[in-house]
Amino acid sequence: MEILLAIVIGGLFGSGIYLLLRRNPVKLVIGFALLSNAVNLLIFVCAGLTRGVPPLIPEPEIRPLAEIADPLPQALILTAIVISFAMLAFTLVLFRRTFETLGTSDLDELRTTDQ
Amino acid sequence: MLWSVLSAFALALCAPWLVRLRPAESGWILALLPAALSLYFFGQITSVALGVPVVESTPWVAQFGIYLSFYLDGLSLLFALLITGVGALIVVYAGSYLAGDAQLGRFYLYLISFMGAMLGLVLAGNLITLFIFWELTSISSYFLIGFRHREEASRAAALQALLVTAGGGLALMAAFVLIGIAGGSFELSVLLQQGDLLFAHPLYGAIVILVLLGCFTKSAQVPFHFWLPSAMQAPTPVSAYLHSVTMVKAGVYLLARLSPVLGGSALWQWSLLSAGALTMLLGAAMALGQTDLKRILAYTTVNALGTLVFLLGIGTETAIHAAIVFLLVHSLYKGALFLIAGIVDHETGTRDIRRLGGLVTRMPLIAALASLAALSMAGIPPLVGFIGKETIYHAVLEAPVAASFLIVLAVLANIFLVVAAAMMTIKPFFGTAASDLDAHGGHGVSAAIAAGPFLLAAAGLLVGLFPALVDARLLTPAAEAIFAQATIVKLALWHGINAPLVLSALTLAAGFVLYSRGAFLARAAQWGGRLAPWGPDRWYRASVSALLAGARAQTRVLQHGYLSLYIFVAFAVVILLGAIPFWLQGLPPLAVWTEQVQFFELIIALLILAAAAAAIRSPSRLGAIVSMGVIGYGIALIFIEFGAPDLAMTQFIIETITVILFVLVIYRLPSYVELSSRSSRIRDALVATAGGVLMTVFVLAALGAGTESRLIDFFAEETYPAARGRDIVNVILVDFRAMDTLGEIAVLGLAGAGVVALLRIRPGKSASRRKS
């Protein structure tokens, strides 16, 4: 399973990088989303996969009964998902505004600071 | 001593305010501090003469051996007296010289901070402290040379001086770090007691070369001398103070200071001897080719600095005596002559010796003072300059190496000095003026402006007549500090008829013969003009413009403005750097196939990959966005499958909002058109593929290295007892790492505010309409 997921991560990284290199801003933002997903999955897989045991403590115990999935990478990824969403939303609206103001859809035309 | 340095900086900060308050008297008021400081140091003479240095130390960055420590021995004391004593005269003089200048306050700010820095330099007892003050003097010199910052020549000269001296400063810093490594301490008091410990160290050669680079640039030794004549763009009080009496001698000071630690090797001796002799001779010779009073003085200062280095290079007891005596002698006559040049410039509007003449009738007092100082420079008894020259000849005659060759150089340089002294005084003061010389201008010579040259020239006469005033109490401790052994400086005007006296007479006679033959001087000026463009100045200019051209070229290549190219380069570099370890060391053990893949997991993985391909290939924006959503949901399913329900929930929510957001703005966004060429798509695809493959290998290598967590047990044990929570991930977020979550919420809030601002506020509306 890990090897399969490693290939999925590679695929996501590759397509994310390719889209980031496009000149259309929409593609760039989508590439950014793909790259964040790839990074989240990378952390998740590298921390080790445990099938089906969520890190929960059942009532009325004070510690988990069985061996649980590692909670720390999950906490990291949870934060990362939210942060990358914030950045994605901002970038998307920024490009929308840029497109509205400058009327160009080509990032290569945005070369100088005074337009 | 810390207070003496700090008080100068404090006064510098108050100076602009004081000048605004009392513009007329500000010079006199500000001079009170240097005068008081010089009295303070005067009071230290007796205790320092006992031979025990005064050491003060305050911890600064103690863990790196850096202390704000001060060290006062005979050598520091002599310099401190020169800095504060001449400093007081200069401050008074500048108040009159720059009277009415709107920037007088700023001038005092720079000048007095320089004084503080210079004082700190000579008093510093720790090499790092010394270095900081050293750099501060370079920086304040930069501001002072560029004081007339509206003139391009001033700015260029200031930059040149800064680049040369700060370049040497870098070498010096490296030298100090090496000394700290080799000697085990930055403290002067420790290093000086270790004697020749550094001498045998393998780093010794590097240390010496770096120290010499620092000192030679600061003290304008050939071939770094060229910044000093250019620095004459500064107002005259600055030239007198920084570029004659104090700052340019910092390099000489450091050489003298480190002589007991580093001196004595052939490398040290020959470097100092050759650089010093060359500078001594060239400085004096080039002075003869000049017609500007200040430039003549600048080149003779180069000569004096060369002489000092030359004497330190000889390094015998008599040579060190001669260096100390000449240091004092030169400060007295050169300070006076610079200030007089400023007065002449002020009164007549020119410093050109070809046009000046007959000044004795207009300012008899100044003419007398100029003659006194020039006689001292030429080395005529009973002035102190005579004693200085005698001791130099004495030392050179006793030099352990090549004495007969060196004495020829010394006599030649001194003959030129006699000519230069005559050039500066005989015609301008006693000759005939050019017909167009403004004979009536000028402001009259005030007491403030005459006080400096008067006291300096009079001191030259007084010390010449009564050398016992200074030799035992002031000069002997200074010489002992350099020589690191007991030694006694004994000066006298008359030693009987001996070799130095004969040489002195010869020097004077030859000097006057040369001066009286005008043709010789004319030819010297001609040669000076012809050789000038070939000096190191030219190399300086060439290297600066090459540097600027290089900067322009690399900026043009690197800062092209294409976003996709920046991203391309960043990724290409990261991928290359990431691949290099694998390439050099081979692949580490990779993960092996352990877990079974269930059928629906395989479907999810294939779905994600297919959606990624679709996101790239889709011809429409909507298709790409839907593919992106499929990827996000697929990853959420993986999270569920492997025990992360919290992640899955978050991912579902966020992915949904993202898709909605995209769809909301999609018709405001540019639609897909083919922009990039086929070749650039292939290039990008190659980098992207390389990146994907590399990441896959990374994941496999990371998994192959093992995935045991050391923190699971902690969280499993502590979550309920410590935080009363049952969802461990939630407890980490809101309890164990609550500050992180707070930061995350802040980022989310900021991004939200940014989104709202971008959507609602439209400042550029009118501008964009006008454009279209």
Side-chain angles (χ1 to χ4, degrees), chain A residues 1-15 17-30 33-35 37 40-42 44-64 68-72 74-75 77-79 81-83 85-86 88-90 92-97 99-101 105-108 110-111 115, chain B residues 560-564 567-568 571 591-598 601-602 605 608-609 612 616 624 628 631 635 638-639 641-647 650-651 654 657-658 661-662 665 668-672 675-676 681 684-685 688 691-692 695-696 699-700 702-703 707 709 711-712 715-717 719-720 725-729 732-733 744 747-748 751 754-755 758-759 761-763 771:
Chain A
M1 189 64 205
E2 281 91 348
I3 294 177
L4 183 63
L5 285 181
I7 294 167
V8 170
I9 292 168
L12 286 178
F13 262 106
S15 30
I17 294 172
Y18 183 78
L19 285 172
L20 270 184
L21 294 171
R22 299 300 89 213
R23 283 156 65 181
N24 186 306
V26 181
K27 290 189 179 177
L28 188 134
V29 178
I30 294 177
L34 259 55
L35 215 58
N37 275 327
N40 291 342
L41 201 55
L42 173 95
F44 192 68
V45 173
C46 284
L49 294 173
T50 314
R51 212 178 276 271
V53 197
L56 298 173
I57 304 169
E59 305 257 10
E61 306 294 329
I62 57 160
R63 62 176 61 87
I68 49 164
D70 193 346
L72 189 64
Q74 295 193 19
I77 295 169
L78 213 150
T79 310
I81 293 175
V82 178
I83 295 271
F85 166 70
L88 187 106
F90 183 78
L92 193 63
V93 177
L94 182 70
F95 277 130
R96 193 201 106 142
R97 184 62 181 277
F99 179 56
E100 256 180 4
T101 316
S105 59
D106 187 352
L107 287 173
D108 276 5
L110 306 177
R111 286 188 58 204
Q115 291 274 348
Chain B
H560 40 68
Y562 293 107
L563 181 66
S564 48
I567 301 177
F568 177 84
F571 272 110
V592 285
W593 200 277
T594 50
E595 290 239 33
Q596 291 294 312
V597 178
Q598 296 183 6
E601 292 168 352
L602 182 66
I608 293 176
L609 286 175
I616 294 176
M628 186 188 75
I631 294 171
I635 289 176
I638 294 177
F639 286 155
E641 179 59 19
F642 291 96
D646 299 278
L647 288 189
T650 317
Q651 177 83 8
I654 292 289
I657 302 178
T658 307
L661 187 73
F662 261 99
V665 298
R668 307 267 192 172
L669 285 171
S671 56
Y672 278 12
L675 287 172
S676 29
R681 282 205 300 273
D684 295 347
M695 291 316 290
T696 302
V699 174
L700 294 177
L703 290 170
T707 55
S709 162
L711 291 170
I712 288 189
F715 289 118
E717 287 300 320
T719 297
Y720 192 73
R726 295 191 174 278
D727 183 335
I728 302 180
V729 175
I732 293 176
L733 286 174
E744 176 201 343
V747 170
L748 207 59
V755 167
L758 281 170
L759 287 177
I761 306 166
R762 321 195 147 241
K771 202 172 228 174

Side-chain angles (χ1 to χ4, degrees), chain B residues 520-532:
Chain B
F520 165 76
L521 283 179
R523 203 174 308 141
Q526 216 176 17
W527 271 102
R530 209 175 298 161
L531 289 177

